[in-house]
Amino acid sequence: MNQQGYVATPPYSQAQPGLGGFSPGFGQPAAPPMYGHYGDVRQSSSASHSAMFKTNVPFGPAAPMGSPPPVIHQFNQASLQNGPSSTAQQSNRYPAPLPSYSSYSHPSQPSYPNRSPPSSTAQLANQLGNMQINSYGNFAPPMAGAQLSYPGGLPSGPAQLAGPQQKKLDPDSIPSPIQVIENDKVSRGGQIYATNTRGQVPPLVTTDCVVQDQGHASPRYFRCTAYCFPSSAEMAKQAQIPLAAIIKPFASVLPNETPLYLVNHGETGPIRCNRCKAYMCPFMQFIEGGRKYQCGFCNCVNDVPPFYFQHLDHIGRRIDHYERPELSLGSYEYVATLDYCKNNKPPQPPAYIFMIDVSYSNIKNGLVKLICEELKTVLDRLPREEQEEASTIRVGFVTYNKVLHFFNVKSNLAQPQMMVVTDVSEVFVPLLDGFLVNFQESRSVINNLLDQIPEMFADTNESETVFAPIIQAGMEALKAAECPGKLFIFHSSLPTAEAPGKLKSRDDRKLVNTDKEKTLFQPQTNIYETLAKDCVANGCCVDLFLFPSQYVDVASIGLVTMHTGGTLFKYNNFQVHSDSHQFLNDLRKDIEKRLGFDAIMRVRTSTGFRATDFLGAIYMNNTTDVEMAAVDCDKAVTVEFKHDDKLNEDSGALIQCAVLYTSMSGQRQLRIHNLGLNCSSQLVDVYKSCETDALINFFVKSAYKAILSQPLKTVREILVNQTARMLACYRKNCASPSAVSQLILPDSMKVLPVYMNSLLKSCVLAGKPEISTDERAFHRQLVMAMDVAGTQLLFYPQLLPIHSMDIKADVFPTAVRCSEDRLSEGGLFLLANGIHMFLWLGVSAPPELIQGIFNVPSFAHVSTEATILPEVDNPCSSKLRSMIDLLQSKSPYSMKILIVKQREQPEMVFKQFLVEDKSVYGGPSYVDFLCCVHKEICQLLN
């Protein structure tokens, strides 16, 4: 059968000439795919009169490899007499075809070509929570004169055209993310997940389990879009499934999981393959009585060093196999030798420099005083290695507005000394001795300084600030001390003072939905790109805490943070009384975080495929080395793979991620993660092994990278098109023969459309002038560093019915679907997406529940100004606050609680996060989007 050549991933993930300093993004907009034919679409003989509704058994171990999934139910349903099943809410309208995302900005164009798929009708259904094959009715072709346009981007739902009365599609009949999450918790939650099998699909990120490393890296470190790769490039092109791994090399493990072992081979250093330089791991095969080993990655035969020799047992395995972490575990660490250090010298322990904007607004609103008070206590909790009694991290302090103030806090001084640098065009560090100090030794001088700073600048009228010179100064200080480190910058305004990196306001909303919209996400000046490169080269990570009251150009000033592996925090219109709780939690978590400095990551693969693209808060000087000034437990890098040859089904696809870094105590170490995947020549095996949450992580990062060089309209088109093509390929090659009018989804991807629709409606891709440019740039930057759990929660928030929680149980109430239909007037609902948190109160919420949580008599008395729940001494209040604390602990960012009352104005903000509904900015509901995708699939199949 002749298959058209597809690309395995969206065109935007291919390397194209890009912007200076940026990794290449999208190429030219892709032309609509010319599919020739998909082969003959096989239909049942009754297809024209009826449609089948099928439910497949979810994929599991019992399914024979290479066979299509078994069908357990098959029904014939009489065609509905009153027109196709519809997603529209009106009872007397007949919907035109739903617009594809490719029909955005041109009102003159019809949404779809004037083609009609077969017109049989059926209900979407989801039986037993395992809907794998769903079917629902098709749409008629556009009627004459009916042309659809959705200014600004996202379709808002079906157009209204006159037609026969129709039935409303039941949202309960389409795949539910909540059902998928709960099913996985029931089948795999609370169990031990042993990593002893190549290519096994791990529990979902939402399922709690204990991981036992038995030869492959834990899913906490490594997740893949598919755990079985197609054996050939042709098959990968046909399937359209992006082949990618989301790697979180410093992920935190649970207290009851084994921490990584540290292997020390002394001056010899780690054992590596002579040809491909892969590190010794469980994939190496020992031969010739243990005197040689064959590399699992490149098949090169290497001599075993004499000190490492060991005899083999009766199955050819070394007799010390289980005594050596590097032979029996998927993840472990090596002590690196001087060869792995800069200039062959051992590194110094890192330093933290705190840089505080003391301009007028920050002094006046109490922010500077708040920061100084907190630093007095939080510096006691600087991170340290487990075997150390105290942290070896040194600290330094700088304040700034238009000029820079450095402080000498040497332990033998009675008072701190200030030195001012007024030449910000060529900044220098005015002192070395006494600037970076041990906090414990200089505690009294530092506390003295922190008491004096708010008073020192109490009468300032200076409102202009610099920004680039601050980063430059911090980097130069670390460079002079010959140590890596991190800058904590507390900044609040657009840097308009005369200095390098000066910026002008360019928040031009008129560019939204034009070809120039991409410039809003690009930095104004190349100085920040140059600065980022220098910071990475010197192991200087930048964490930025922003407190803007107006536009600050996040796309420019956040760039250094992004490329150095830092974290960006943003508190709009900061008020000490309402926002300090969120800010201080973020600051504490950020300072206490364990991390590696001056890191370089290399991903090696076995023969037949290779890593081609890297997405994340990273910097790349070449095509293979991922450089990060620092890497912490929350940062993830998404790596895309491409075939360069055929893969062997017996040996599988092997991946090794090696991270060279400086530990918090100043030791150079290598962290190794190994993962083995299966390979198959059967598409059904590939689809079986897919992970929707990982796919969404890949798609969002690819799209958010692409918007730097492509119009948003093109990016949205590609996302919808690839969703349809992945599902169409499954339908054609893996599903049982059935009417084209049926929507058939693979079990592993049945909720992909709801996440994809949520991504398309996100503030970054929505393209609406109502959303501030800074907010979009901020959101984009956060997501680029996110792991799979982060993007899963962000694009499908958790919505918990508080009124139905069992105060005696240890578990949360079961979440409900993210739709207004699930809210009830008599209920309280908590919504969290990892960045925002809302407590929604129904107008008829029980007074006793209101009293128990808020300590006020009724709904009317609840203040929506509060951002912290009161500590009321009763089980209901305690349970809710402990739930919130647990949700907060799982997120890298502290979520400020916003209390929202039903039918009051702030409810509109809350409704943006109900991702199954139509967006307040015009994006379609989940049901409508599913229809849109089905329409695209039908056109591809025809």
Side-chain angles (χ1 to χ4, degrees), residues 459-501:
D459 299 324
T460 185
N461 289 316
E462 188 54 72
S463 57
E464 281 195 319
T465 58
V466 296
F467 187 72
I470 283 296
I471 298 176
Q472 184 79 36
M475 182 191 70
E476 295 292 348
L478 294 174
K479 191 175 176 181
E482 296 185 336
C483 71
K486 185 189 269 197
L487 312 182
F488 293 79
I489 303 179
F490 305 90
H491 188 83
S492 65
S493 59
L494 192 70
T496 53
E498 280 305 326

Side-chain angles (χ1 to χ4, degrees), residues 94-100 103 110-117 138-143 146-148 150 155 157-161 928 931-932 935 939:
Y94 186 75
L98 262 159
S100 76
S103 62
S111 297
Y112 278 120
N114 196 359
R115 293 180 287 169
S116 173
N138 285 276
F139 301 100
M143 298 175 72
Q147 294 176 342
L148 310 176
Y150 296 96
Q160 299 172 13
L161 296 173
D928 291 349
C931 297
C932 167
K935 174 78 176 171
Q939 291 180 353

Side-chain angles (χ1 to χ4, degrees), residues 226-437:
Y227 294 87
C228 176
F229 276 14
S231 56
S232 67
E234 293 71 30
M235 194 175 153
K237 287 176 182 177
Q238 184 183 355
Q240 284 287 292
I241 298 165
L243 305 177
I246 297 87
I247 304 173
K248 192 160 82 159
F250 280 73
S252 301
V253 296
L254 297 181
N256 53 351
E257 293 176 356
T258 312
L260 298 191
Y261 288 98
L262 183 63
V263 180
N264 189 350
H265 288 325
E267 292 181 6
T268 315
I271 296 169
R272 306 177 68 177
C273 170
N274 291 328
R275 183 193 290 163
C276 71
K277 302 301 180 192
Y279 293 87
M280 179 57 67
C281 69
F283 305 146
M284 305 300 188
Q285 182 68 44
F286 288 88
I287 54 176
E288 296 186 22
R291 290 187 299 277
K292 294 182 185 290
Y293 69 91
Q294 184 170 24
C295 176
F297 295 92
C298 69
N299 299 322
C300 174
V301 175
N302 299 267
D303 290 326
V304 173
F307 84 92
Y308 199 68
F309 172 78
Q310 187 53 273
H311 294 286
L312 307 185
D313 64 13
H314 66 288
I315 57 169
R317 190 163 57 189
R318 285 172 58 121
I319 59 176
D320 63 351
H321 177 84
Y322 289 109
E323 294 161 30
R324 291 195 176 271
E326 71 274 22
L327 300 182
S328 57
L329 298 177
S331 301
Y332 43 88
E333 295 198 301
Y334 281 116
V335 174
T337 57
L338 287 178
D339 302 345
Y340 293 86
C341 303
K342 278 185 185 171
N343 307 320
N344 284 8
K345 283 166 58 180
Q348 296 291 321
Y352 285 180
I353 303 176
F354 297 90
M355 315 184 95
I356 306 169
D357 168 0
V358 289
S359 57
Y360 174 75
S361 61
N362 284 4
I363 294 289
K364 188 180 175 191
N365 69 9
L367 176 62
V368 172
K369 185 172 172 55
L370 182 72
I371 293 168
C372 292
E373 284 298 318
E374 181 62 25
L375 287 179
K376 284 191 225 171
T377 55
V378 79
L379 291 180
D380 271 322
R381 302 200 291 272
L382 287 170
R384 58 184 171 84
E385 299 294 350
E386 283 169 12
Q387 69 274 17
E388 293 177 336
E389 286 185 19
S391 176
T392 54
I393 293 173
R394 291 168 294 166
V395 294
F397 301 88
V398 178
T399 58
Y400 68 96
N401 38 48
K402 276 169 75 169
V403 296
L404 281 58
H405 322 104
F406 288 77
F407 295 94
N408 183 345
V409 283
K410 203 171 181 180
S411 57
N412 59 3
L413 293 175
Q415 287 286 331
Q417 297 171 347
M418 179 167 85
M419 298 185 184
V420 182
V421 175
T422 54
D423 182 5
V424 289
S425 59
E426 299 228 0
V427 80
F428 66 96
V429 183
L431 77 158
L432 288 179
D433 189 35
F435 177 60
L436 295 178
V437 297

